[in-house]
Amino acid sequence: MSELKHIGKSLRRKDGPDKVTGRAVYSEDVKLPGTLTGRILRSPHPHARIARIDSSRALALEGVKAVITVDDTKGIKHGFVETPRYPADQEVLARDKVVHVGEEVAAVAAVDAITAQQALRLIDVVYEPLPAVFDPYEAMQPDAPEIHPSHPKVKETEPYANIGGKTETGWGDVEKGFAESDYVREDRFESHLRTHGYLEPHVTLAHWESDKLNVWTSSMGPFVKRAKLAKVLDLPYAAVRIHKAYVGGTFGGKIDLYSHEYCAARLSMITGRPVRIVASREEIFSAYRHGQPLIVEVKTGVKKDGEILAQQLRVINNAGAYRGSGVVVVFLAWGFTMAPYRVPNLKYEGYSVYTNYAVRAPQRGHGCPQVRFAIESQLDIIAEELRLDPVAIRLRNAREPWEELPNRDNTHNGALIDCIKIAAEKSDLLKKYGRDRRAPSANGTIRRGIGIGISSYMGGTLIYPNGSGVIVKMNDDGSATVLTGALDIGQGSETVIAQIVAEELGLGMDDIRIISSDTDTTPQDIGAWISGMTYVTGNAARQAASNAREKLLQVAAEIIGVPIDDLAVEDKVIFNRCDPERRLTYREIIAASVATRRGDTVIGEGFWRTMRDEPFHPSLATTKGRWTENYAFSAQVAEVAVDIETGEAKLVKALTVHDCGFPINPGLVKGQIDGQVSMALGHAFMEELITKNGYTLNTSWLDYRMPTIHDMAASEDADVITEEYCVGKSYRTKEVGEGLVSGILAATANAIYDATGVRLYSTPFSPERIVQGLKQLERRKQRLCA
């Protein structure tokens, strides 16, 4: 790594100057003449039949240019998942009935926002309210109000209602494992509803012009948006162009197709004018997609030394009113269960349940924080019952390097064991653990505690578009232009790609210009999700740059008259290692290539796909098939302070020890870690979307508590380097953008227990829950003394 000039260095972000000077162009900043304002009419009911829609009065209003309902669509459905087992299940506007508050019923385009808002009030919709259901257990009952029929495969064998999908898998003999265990424990953990908290609202500008739909939209992947938008509009892909626009935060909440994107496009096609729709914050809180609250029922059997012999999980997902990513999160919950610890006998069931809430979407970690909170909390309980320390029981079960997992994946150079050991040592965990419970009086009402949690996360998997292409075009002056479909949503993709290309070609960072995320001018890309950008797009960029480098070397070898192996590359110059004076600049080589190779201007191409030899993604229903070839592992330690009088708890210090392969840009990695620690802090203590009967009660930032700079914890980290980067060779780096939001949540729960003796089974870790737990402890103590 020491010979590398760009890789492994905390170089300045490519997008930094644009963002800090205000030059960055977001979708809201794109101005087109004659743009109309679009607005959405939404359902006021959680569940109701639509008896009639009359939009004639709205259409007659002066300034209104178009009104659409479901009758103006082609009835083509879309979904987060679209497979033979799970076909698309949602129309872009409600047909016949609405199934959640805020569901899109109609849309208008008008000359200004006031006229558009007036038009919405003139659309006459007659609803016939239907019984609604919001609790997933109640929704599963056979006599529950039917939102959608249960999936036919589930309906064949189980009586449950409203099941959108199920994941069922396992291995070994779980009953035999429990029978052979010295200690068996069952617990139930529940996580709550949170939203993504992106600061930039959903914005879409669409312009239909000359049989071409041009779109600027806040998203996580332009190629996914193009595919879904073209489908519901029944247009060829080539007729839809998603333009680059900077994105002000996503965290999983902007990958799916949203109805406002369709409506802006369709209204533009009808009016022939640009149409912009901006979602208000109230709309986002009350009608848009949020995270996935999970209920995790976990039963674990262990030997006296803490070795896990069997584990059984039943995961219930409150998916909202359409399938959304519900069937994915119950699949992923299995993966987040099986990756970190060796479990010889496992039985897993995950149900995605329809309820009359808004549809749910991925949220950073996509189920991992919820699952690890459950398993890591229970593991601490078991350790205490067996008089083991929390480090020993984790080391007993942690997966080792080069273990083959039950699905044929491999941990490769996974360093979970090293992560746990280093985290324990750096935090002095065992010395601090239990200290305040043993001697609480010295700290007044403040108790301090420490806890550990671990997690594993995948880096890239086979979900469309699961590959990336990159083109490196050498310019006449020796600089390079990189064409990539990668979208920089703040994670620093353009910086990382530039570092890789610079390293491969011996260029400076300022020699590289990135053209990105435009579906007409850049190659297809995986998008900024499923944590695959640095591995998949990065390897494509490396390969493209390497391809250009090979072409430069071939031309130079012919001119200098030596084998390629005798040449070296540095600072846009290729020279003979044995005679450095014999050298050619890139400018000279490119000119020679054009002159002698029929105009070849030196263009490099690169393509990459995770698990390149695996034709299909794993089954969401059975988990059969490979999931990923890159597992990142981490151990995180939380130190908390809890006021036992008020129940107020605070994350004081977080330590993250992680195996991300190697950091291409340590500064960006550090940013990802700190961001996830702060997000976990919000998950643990502050953020909660409060709902009642399908209605969101806190619909503004004033009512939805997000962490601010005043709430941040001290965040320290340590890398465990398990891979390396070599110029000209593919590399295996691991994800760092999602998994680290998980272990720290579990560690915080364990630290609160360590501080107070209160075991929390639900998030958030509110003062009320902690005070209630303290009171229960006191009552139990009094009973024992009586």
Side-chain angles (χ1 to χ4, degrees):
M1 295 285 280
S2 59
E3 298 177 359
L4 301 173
K5 285 192 171 181
H6 303 286
I7 302 295
K9 307 293 189 297
S10 297
L11 301 181
R12 192 181 72 174
R13 295 178 64 116
K14 277 283 196 184
D15 57 335
D18 279 354
K19 288 182 174 173
V20 299
T21 60
R23 292 198 304 263
V25 176
Y26 296 80
S27 296
E28 174 69 11
D29 299 323
V30 179
K31 307 298 182 190
L32 298 177
T35 296
L36 299 173
T37 298
R39 286 285 188 273
I40 306 286
L41 181 68
R42 300 180 179 279
S43 165
H45 301 286
H47 199 190
R49 187 171 293 108
I50 299 174
R52 183 171 61 88
I53 304 178
D54 182 356
S55 58
S56 58
R57 288 199 302 151
L59 199 53
L61 182 68
E62 185 178 355
V64 173
K65 301 301 181 183
V67 180
I68 59 172
T69 68
V70 71
D71 292 335
D72 300 293
T73 75
K74 293 199 173 185
I76 300 171
K77 295 181 178 179
H78 68 97
F80 182 86
V81 176
E82 296 185 17
T83 66
R85 186 183 183 96
Y86 297 128
D89 67 338
Q90 185 175 6
E91 292 205 45
V92 288
L93 292 170
R95 184 183 295 279
D96 299 332
K97 76 171 188 175
V98 291
V99 287
H100 69 86
V101 172
E103 183 168 8
E104 299 82 358
V105 175
V108 305
V111 293
D112 55 46
I114 294 175
T115 306
Q117 200 62 38
Q118 288 174 336
L120 292 186
R121 289 195 284 269
L122 295 175
I123 299 174
D124 184 19
V125 185
V126 177
Y127 296 98
E128 296 173 355
L130 297 168
V133 63
F134 308 102
D135 179 87
Y137 284 125
E138 293 178 7
M140 293 172 73
Q141 299 306 309
D143 58 350
E146 184 178 74
I147 301 166
H148 304 291
S150 275
H151 192 280
K153 291 289 185 184
V154 177
K155 204 169 183 179
E156 286 175 3
T157 57
E158 300 182 58
Y160 300 132
N162 293 310
I163 304 298
K166 180 184 179 185
T167 297
E168 185 171 13
T169 188
W171 50 81
D173 184 339
V174 72
E175 293 304 328
K176 183 171 179 288
F178 287 133
E180 294 175 351
S181 297
D182 296 317
Y183 179 75
V184 178
R185 182 177 181 89
E186 292 183 65
D187 291 294
R188 178 183 181 276
F189 297 87
E190 188 168 355
S191 53
H192 67 290
L193 183 62
R194 298 156 53 235
T195 194
H196 301 83
Y198 37 77
L199 294 182
E200 181 202 22
H202 281 273
V203 180
T204 299
L205 172 65
H207 186 201
W208 177 255
E209 185 179 37
S210 303
D211 294 332
K212 183 90 175 184
L213 181 66
N214 293 280
V215 178
W216 293 260
T217 191
S218 186
S219 82
M220 297 172 67
F223 290 90
V224 173
K225 288 290 186 186
R226 182 183 69 172
K228 291 179 178 287
L229 202 49
K231 180 193 171 190
V232 294
L233 289 165
D234 196 23
L235 292 173
Y237 282 16
V240 179
R241 179 180 182 183
I242 309 295
H243 292 257
K244 176 182 178 178
Y246 276 109
V247 180
T250 62
F251 311 115
K254 295 180 179 176
I255 188 61
D256 216 347
L257 179 72
Y258 283 82
S259 289
H260 76 267
E261 294 171 316
Y262 168 88
C263 291
R266 187 75 185 100
L267 289 166
S268 179
M269 293 172 71
I270 292 172
T271 61
R273 292 172 61 172
V275 175
R276 186 195 314 275
I277 296 180
V278 181
S280 69
R281 190 58 64 180
E282 184 177 357
E283 282 180 295
I284 292 171
F285 273 113
S286 59
Y288 275 64
R289 301 178 182 205
H290 307 299
Q292 302 273 10
L294 297 182
I295 298 168
V296 180
E297 301 166 0
V298 56
K299 178 180 178 182
T300 303
V302 298
K303 299 292 285 182
K304 288 179 180 175
D305 63 359
E307 180 186 0
I308 298 172
L309 291 189
Q311 203 160 51
Q312 182 172 337
L313 279 92
R314 187 171 186 258
V315 174
I316 307 293
N317 160 237
N318 187 336
Y322 291 100
R323 194 174 288 127
S325 72
V327 295
V328 177
V329 77
V330 295
F331 161 83
L332 292 173
W334 155 79
F336 300 138
T337 297
M338 67 103 183
Y341 295 132
R342 204 172 305 107
V343 181
N345 303 289
L346 178 81
K347 182 178 181 181
Y348 176 89
E349 290 179 305
Y351 292 90
S352 181
V353 184
Y354 296 123
T355 61
N356 289 113
Y357 279 120
V359 193
R360 302 291 160 70
Q363 187 173 17
R364 202 173 194 175
H366 207 180
C368 193
Q370 298 92 318
V371 169
R372 297 318 306 171
F373 161 55
I375 292 176
E376 297 296 308
S377 294
Q378 192 190 58
L379 205 61
D380 258 28
I381 298 170
I382 292 171
E384 186 171 47
E385 291 291 329
L386 297 178
R387 298 182 183 278
L388 299 171
D389 71 60
V391 175
I393 196 168
R394 287 172 171 81
L395 289 174
R396 173 71 63 188
N397 296 289
R399 289 199 183 275
E400 297 181 352
W402 301 103
E403 269 199 56
E404 183 169 299
L405 304 183
N407 66 336
R408 296 190 298 113
D409 284 350
N410 195 288
T411 59
H412 295 286
N413 283 322
L416 177 57
I417 292 174
D418 289 340
C419 290
I420 296 171
K421 289 179 177 175
I422 294 170
E425 182 181 345
K426 287 180 75 72
S427 64
D428 211 2
L429 190 147
L430 294 181
K431 187 176 179 181
K432 297 177 182 175
Y433 188 70
R435 192 164 56 189
D436 262 25
R437 275 182 290 155
R438 289 191 296 269
S441 58
N443 296 317
T445 63
I446 302 299
R447 300 287 183 269
R448 295 188 181 276
I450 189 168
I452 187 171
I454 73 165
S455 72
S456 176
Y457 210 83
M458 86 294 189
T461 188
L462 296 178
I463 296 175
Y464 176 85
N466 50 43
S468 293
V470 173
I471 295 171
V472 172
K473 184 168 70 74
M474 299 304 299
N475 300 312
D476 292 346
D477 62 356
S479 64
T481 299
V482 180
L483 305 179
T484 171
L487 178 62
D488 200 323
I489 59 171
Q491 84 282 38
S493 64
E494 294 189 5
T495 308
V496 167
I497 290 168
Q499 286 182 257
I500 292 168
V501 172
E503 195 68 64
E504 293 290 328
L505 283 168
L507 297 175
M509 289 289 282
D510 292 337
D511 293 321
I512 296 168
R513 180 178 175 232
I514 303 281
I515 297 176
S516 69
S517 49
D518 183 318
T519 55
D520 266 17
T521 62
T522 64
Q524 182 164 294
D525 185 76
I526 190 172
W529 60 313
I530 61 174
S531 293
M533 195 290 298
T534 301
Y535 176 59
V536 178
T537 310
N539 261 310
R542 179 206 56 75
Q543 195 178 64
S546 184
N547 183 223
R549 173 192 170 104
E550 288 171 13
K551 290 182 177 181
L552 292 167
L553 285 167
Q554 286 169 3
V555 175
E558 290 174 10
I559 296 173
I560 296 175
V562 295
I564 288 177
D565 290 344
D566 289 350
L567 298 175
V569 177
E570 187 175 5
D571 296 334
K572 292 192 284 186
V573 170
I574 294 179
F575 59 92
N576 185 347
R577 295 177 195 273
C578 301
D579 183 6
E581 294 303 315
R582 298 181 67 189
R583 57 176 50 212
L584 291 166
T585 65
Y586 278 9
R587 181 191 294 268
E588 293 169 327
I589 296 169
I590 292 165
S593 177
V594 171
T596 63
R597 299 198 168 203
R598 298 183 174 182
D600 186 346
T601 56
V602 185
I603 296 175
E605 297 178 334
F607 312 94
W608 202 262
R609 174 180 185 264
T610 189
M611 295 187 292
R612 311 182 99 189
D613 298 325
E614 294 290 330
F616 302 113
H617 56 75
S619 166
L620 295 176
T622 67
T623 74
K624 288 181 180 175
R626 297 279 311 281
W627 183 31
T628 186
E629 59 190 5
N630 280 329
Y631 286 92
F633 294 96
S634 64
Q636 293 176 283
V637 174
E639 295 187 48
V640 302
V642 185
D643 188 326
I644 58 171
E645 208 166 74
T646 65
E648 290 282 350
K650 182 178 181 181
L651 178 64
V652 177
K653 186 176 180 182
L655 170 65
T656 298
V657 182
H658 68 123
D659 159 23
C660 70
F662 62 91
I664 288 178
N665 186 317
L668 293 178
V669 170
K670 172 65 174 167
Q672 291 286 348
I673 294 169
D674 292 348
Q676 289 174 86
V677 167
S678 69
M679 189 167 277
L681 184 155
H683 188 165
F685 299 117
M686 305 176 73
E687 299 176 40
E688 183 174 15
L689 206 66
I690 301 169
T691 61
K692 183 176 182 182
N693 297 332
Y695 298 89
T696 302
L697 303 183
N698 49 343
T699 60
S700 76
W701 291 125
L702 292 176
D703 300 319
Y704 185 90
R705 295 180 65 212
M706 292 277 286
T708 69
I709 189 67
H710 304 293
D711 304 301
M712 294 298 104
S715 173
E716 298 178 358
D717 62 278
D719 300 333
V720 179
I721 307 298
T722 56
E723 306 286 345
E724 63 176 346
Y725 188 98
C726 297
V727 171
K729 295 182 179 178
S730 62
Y731 64 84
R732 182 190 298 279
T733 191
K734 306 172 187 178
E735 83 85 32
V736 73
E738 293 193 73
L740 303 178
V741 77
S742 307
I744 192 66
L745 178 70
T748 302
N750 288 333
I752 290 172
Y753 175 80
D754 184 50
T756 63
V758 174
R759 176 59 64 185
L760 296 166
Y761 293 86
S762 301
T763 60
F765 310 139
S766 64
E768 294 78 12
R769 285 199 173 107
I770 292 173
V771 168
Q772 186 181 15
L774 288 166
K775 288 179 177 176
Q776 288 174 351
L777 287 177
E778 185 60 31
R779 286 195 291 269
R780 191 180 308 162
K781 186 177 174 183
Q782 290 174 357
R783 282 199 301 271
L784 290 173
C785 294

